[in-house]
Amino acid sequence: MKKIFVLTGEPSGDKLASKVISKLKTHNPNIEYLSVGGTHIKKLGIQSIFDLKDITYLGFTSVLLNIFKIRRKINTTVDEIIKFNPDILFSVDSPDFTLRVAEKVKRINSNIKTIHYVAPQVWVWRKSRVKKIKNFIDHMLLLFNFEKKYFDEENIKNTFVGHPLIEKDENVKTTLNELISKDKKIISIFPGSRKSETNLLLPILLDFINLMNKKNDTYSYVFHATDENKEFIISHVKKTDLSNIDVIADENIKLQILSNSIFAVSKSGTVSLQISNSNIPSIIIYKLSFINFMIFKMLVNVKFANIINIINDKEVIPELLQKECNAEEIYKTVIYFLKNPELIRKQLNVCSKTLEGIKSKTSSSNEAAKILNNYLIA
């Protein structure tokens, strides 16, 4: 029986990996799996060698503070992969963890095929990293077409598979009547999947909702949580006197809530593509510690944080970063958009055109699954 080790480093990667493996199981059910995964991978009946939250870190300083712990996890993961002896090491996102593991694995056993899904953002920083990647990655699966040139230049085998967050979801519909009051318009809130970023952004977002309630209490706010941070968010919401907040982690419900929203406030990240794909206007927020921000500023090669803005080389979706990432600025920007439907129309129009350029032939997960299967049957 063929074997695949699925390697993720955070909840978003766990979710992406699970979609691919779910499709692969329909192509080829006779595969044995082991993983470093979270709740989505575990729901497929795949064992994880340890809890995903043990390696989910954010920011340069937090990585430095946990450097020895991370190194031990990398070495443990490498040992378990070598022991499992898979035909394929399928790594997903989180390059600072997954690619370090892949490099060590390839050095020990070059027969293991290494396929990485979600290319590291070399167009943002560390373009020189591509030269190193060619030594240990057999195939790179790209979410964006414009990334091809960076890997083609180094003769790294790569395939544009499209972005999974803009696939049509085939989930069963769920009734929302009991969750959302019909007399309130929904504003979706995305505070991030990592506890460290949620911890930083949550107080700001709760203050923003407080400001909105003082001016207009006709809105209902839904926090889109992960299974990992749902209770953390709920515990903070309970400490407030806010009664128009729900916290949802169920994927079926989250997508429908987003589709029924009038606006979204989201932390910077690929989830903004899912928001745009649902044809919902939005703004982007993000905040790092001062030290992390200064390091980040020195390293990045792009003007914007949001992928829609990067592709268009202009601010299509407003970005409130660092000092501007505060309750007052978020409140003013959201209200400005809600009072100006023409601005919303323009944003959604540009986003729609941009998304057309990053859609795959079928679906990202299906294209990725086909490539994995091709390696297994080769």
Side-chain angles (χ1 to χ4, degrees):
M1 184 179 282
K2 297 290 186 178
K3 296 179 180 180
I4 294 178
F5 193 100
V6 184
L7 179 63
T8 70
E10 58 184 319
S12 56
D14 169 57
K15 182 179 177 181
L16 295 182
S18 70
K19 289 190 173 208
V20 177
I21 299 304
S22 182
K23 291 282 173 68
L24 182 57
K25 279 174 175 274
T26 65
H27 290 296
N28 189 341
N30 299 314
I31 303 170
E32 184 180 349
Y33 297 94
L34 188 62
S35 76
V36 172
T39 55
H40 292 89
I41 290 292
K42 288 174 185 174
K43 282 175 184 174
L44 295 176
I46 299 171
Q47 180 189 348
S48 179
I49 61 174
F50 49 74
D51 200 312
L52 190 61
K53 68 184 179 188
D54 292 344
I55 52 164
T56 304
Y57 298 100
L58 171 69
F60 304 95
T61 53
S62 60
V63 169
L64 288 172
L65 291 170
N66 291 282
I67 191 70
F68 295 110
K69 187 177 180 181
I70 294 171
R71 190 175 294 164
R72 282 196 301 273
K73 287 296 183 186
I74 288 172
N75 292 335
T76 300
T77 304
V78 171
D79 290 343
E80 291 295 325
I81 292 170
I82 295 301
K83 193 190 302 179
F84 184 60
N85 192 26
D87 297 276
I88 294 174
L89 169 58
F90 179 47
S91 53
V92 182
D93 212 358
S94 305
D96 287 328
F97 173 69
T98 60
L99 292 185
R100 283 191 173 103
V101 171
E103 183 177 13
K104 284 176 176 282
V105 167
K106 199 69 172 175
R107 201 181 299 142
I108 298 169
N109 186 347
S110 61
N111 292 323
I112 296 173
K113 294 298 181 185
T114 49
I115 301 173
H116 188 76
Y117 184 42
V118 187
Q121 296 177 332
V122 293
W123 34 275
V124 176
W125 54 13
R126 292 186 285 185
K127 290 181 183 178
S128 60
R129 193 176 193 181
V130 182
K131 294 181 185 295
K132 190 179 179 183
I133 287 171
K134 70 188 294 184
N135 296 321
F136 60 90
I137 291 296
D138 293 304
H139 204 128
M140 187 68 75
L141 306 182
L142 312 175
L143 303 192
F144 304 106
N145 223 343
F146 69 82
E147 295 175 309
K148 278 190 70 63
K149 64 180 180 181
Y150 298 105
F151 297 94
D152 286 344
E153 284 171 5
E154 296 298 330
N155 295 313
I156 298 172
K157 195 168 185 181
N158 66 84
T159 304
F160 164 62
V161 296
H163 207 292
L165 286 182
I166 56 173
E167 294 176 15
K168 284 189 176 179
D169 200 285
E170 298 169 356
N171 286 324
V172 178
K173 294 291 180 184
T174 306
T175 303
L176 301 180
N177 294 345
E178 293 179 9
L179 291 168
I180 304 298
S181 174
K182 290 182 179 179
D183 62 344
K184 287 182 182 285
K185 297 172 182 175
I186 306 168
I187 293 180
S188 279
I189 308 286
F190 295 81
S193 59
R194 303 180 185 100
K195 185 178 177 180
S196 45
E197 62 191 2
T198 307
N199 193 42
L200 198 60
L201 295 175
L202 191 53
I204 297 169
L205 290 165
L206 292 174
D207 285 344
F208 152 69
I209 294 170
N210 253 320
L211 284 175
M212 290 289 286
N213 284 348
K214 286 177 182 176
K215 304 290 182 180
N216 192 328
D217 63 355
T218 61
Y219 299 109
S220 179
Y221 302 87
V222 180
F223 279 86
H224 293 243
T226 62
D227 289 325
E228 289 81 2
N229 70 8
K230 180 181 177 181
E231 292 306 317
F232 176 77
I233 295 172
I234 289 173
S235 66
H236 277 70
V237 172
K238 282 181 177 177
K239 293 174 186 176
T240 72
D241 58 356
L242 298 168
S243 59
N244 56 340
I245 293 178
D246 284 287
V247 183
I248 303 297
D250 183 279
E251 295 300 321
N252 295 347
I253 299 172
K254 277 166 39 175
L255 189 62
Q256 289 177 76
I257 285 175
L258 176 59
S259 299
N260 284 277
S261 299
I262 62 160
F263 205 85
V265 177
S266 171
K267 73 99 186 179
S268 178
T270 52
V271 70
S272 64
L273 292 173
Q274 191 175 34
I275 295 167
S276 297
N277 193 50
S278 296
N279 206 38
I280 304 302
S282 65
I283 63 168
I284 299 301
I285 65 170
Y286 208 66
K287 198 166 192 174
L288 290 167
S289 69
F290 178 75
I291 295 172
N292 283 336
F293 178 68
M294 293 310 294
I295 297 171
F296 183 82
K297 202 172 179 183
M298 286 188 290
L299 294 173
V300 297
N301 300 313
V302 291
K303 291 185 288 186
F304 302 103
N306 180 266
I307 187 62
I308 295 283
N309 295 341
I310 291 170
I311 292 172
N312 287 281
D313 197 29
K314 64 179 181 180
E315 194 176 74
V316 178
I317 299 173
E319 298 181 357
L320 301 181
L321 313 176
Q322 292 307 104
K323 287 183 179 178
E324 290 186 331
C325 182
N326 62 69
E328 186 68 34
E329 286 299 322
I330 297 170
Y331 165 75
K332 287 194 290 189
T333 309
V334 170
I335 289 298
Y336 185 65
F337 263 79
L338 293 177
K339 287 183 176 179
N340 290 275
E342 182 61 20
L343 280 178
I344 288 176
R345 189 191 65 77
K346 284 181 179 178
Q347 184 190 104
L348 295 178
N349 186 43
V350 175
C351 287
S352 177
K353 289 177 180 176
T354 305
L355 294 179
E356 284 302 315
I358 57 174
K359 285 182 178 175
S360 65
K361 297 172 188 174
T362 56
S363 73
S364 179
S365 52
N366 194 54
E367 295 298 315
K370 278 190 211 171
I371 291 166
L372 288 173
N373 197 45
N374 288 340
Y375 273 90
L376 291 175
I377 62 178

